[in-house]
Amino acid sequence: MAVSLYIDDDDDDDDYSHTYLYPASAAASQANREEVDSRSVFVGNVDYSCTPEEVQQHFQTCGTVNRVTIRTDKYGQPKGYAYVEFLEVEAVELALQLNESQLRGRQLKVTAKRTNVPGMKLYRARRPNPNMRSRSPFIPAPFVFSPYGYGKVPRFRMPMRYSPYF
């Protein structure tokens, strides 16, 4: 029984390692990743002082745990969620029954792990801010000298409230 427990301090957002995939191996790697993800569950709301051994002990009743990954930030502090990989696919259904179970006084959220598909992030365009000027190209003014000076525009006072005595 090969059980590997580790705390993963790599952050997907801050991962600077380079992996070069060739087209033939990319499909095989994606298939392997989907097969591993079908045997894994996501565990949310994990206590920050919880160890991988405690998470493994909690999911031991479901089946043989292959790997427990507790994600941490760049300072080594746990992010509050973990991934549990089993040896059998059938153990995932049993692990999903442990949803809303208690571990160290916290209610766990257990869901099936989804496979991350590269390039599926939705692009959200920025909304224009009405307070910002548009960055249109400079259009020169006609050759008329402004009485207010170069680049100056008349500023009008805000209209005052109605005053019957003026």
Side-chain angles (χ1 to χ4, degrees), residues 37 40-42 92 96 110-114:
D37 288 347
S40 303
V41 292
F42 168 83
V92 174
L96 292 176
V110 182
T111 57
K113 185 173 187 251
R114 63 175 181 82

Side-chain angles (χ1 to χ4, degrees), residues 50-105:
C50 199
T51 63
E53 289 82 10
E54 291 173 329
V55 176
Q56 179 196 9
Q57 197 70 26
H58 187 75
F59 286 95
Q60 199 72 36
T61 58
C62 304
T64 307
V65 177
N66 187 30
R67 180 184 309 164
V68 173
T69 307
I70 296 178
R71 297 301 306 264
T72 59
D73 61 4
K74 62 182 180 179
Y75 302 110
Q77 301 299 318
K79 289 187 171 185
Y81 64 91
Y83 294 103
V84 179
E85 180 187 331
F86 296 100
L87 288 178
E88 308 89 15
V89 179
E90 296 80 22
V92 174
E93 284 82 23
L94 296 172
L96 292 176
Q97 294 175 356
L98 289 178
N99 189 23
E100 299 181 357
S101 63
Q102 296 282 331
L103 179 63
R104 279 199 172 199

Side-chain angles (χ1 to χ4, degrees), residues 154-160:
R155 302 279 183 217
F156 298 105
R157 292 181 179 226
M158 293 292 292
M160 295 180 60

Side-chain angles (χ1 to χ4, degrees), residues 3-163:
V3 176
S4 63
L5 302 173
Y6 67 96
I7 297 177
D8 187 9
D9 59 355
D10 291 337
D11 191 5
D12 288 338
D13 302 328
D14 300 326
D15 188 17
Y16 297 110
S17 64
H18 299 285
T19 305
Y20 298 103
L21 296 176
Y22 299 103
S25 66
S29 175
Q30 181 69 18
N32 184 28
R33 188 175 300 142
E34 289 176 2
E35 191 269 329
V36 169
D37 288 347
S38 67
R39 296 184 281 121
S40 303
V41 292
F42 168 83
V43 184
N45 200 23
V46 177
D47 188 42
Y48 294 110
S49 61
C50 199
T51 63
E53 289 82 10
E54 291 173 329
V55 176
Q56 179 196 9
Q57 197 70 26
H58 187 75
F59 286 95
Q60 199 72 36
T61 58
C62 304
T64 307
V65 177
N66 187 30
R67 180 184 309 164
V68 173
T69 307
I70 296 178
R71 297 301 306 264
T72 59
D73 61 4
K74 62 182 180 179
Y75 302 110
Q77 301 299 318
K79 289 187 171 185
Y81 64 91
Y83 294 103
V84 179
E85 180 187 331
F86 296 100
L87 288 178
E88 308 89 15
V89 179
E90 296 80 22
V92 174
E93 284 82 23
L94 296 172
L96 292 176
Q97 294 175 356
L98 289 178
N99 189 23
E100 299 181 357
S101 63
Q102 296 282 331
L103 179 63
R104 279 199 172 199
R106 296 186 75 164
Q107 188 174 6
L108 297 180
K109 179 183 178 185
V110 182
T111 57
K113 185 173 187 251
R114 63 175 181 82
T115 302
N116 189 21
V117 179
M120 290 300 290
K121 184 174 183 180
L122 296 175
Y123 174 73
R124 288 180 46 194
R126 294 176 58 181
R127 294 190 340 225
N129 189 348
N131 298 329
M132 297 292 288
R133 285 184 172 173
S134 66
R135 296 184 183 212
S136 60
F138 176 73
I139 301 173
F143 294 107
V144 175
F145 293 104
S146 172
Y148 301 103
Y150 178 75
K152 305 284 187 184
V153 292
R155 302 279 183 217
F156 298 105
R157 292 181 179 226
M158 293 292 292
M160 295 180 60
R161 295 192 311 205
Y162 174 70
S163 178

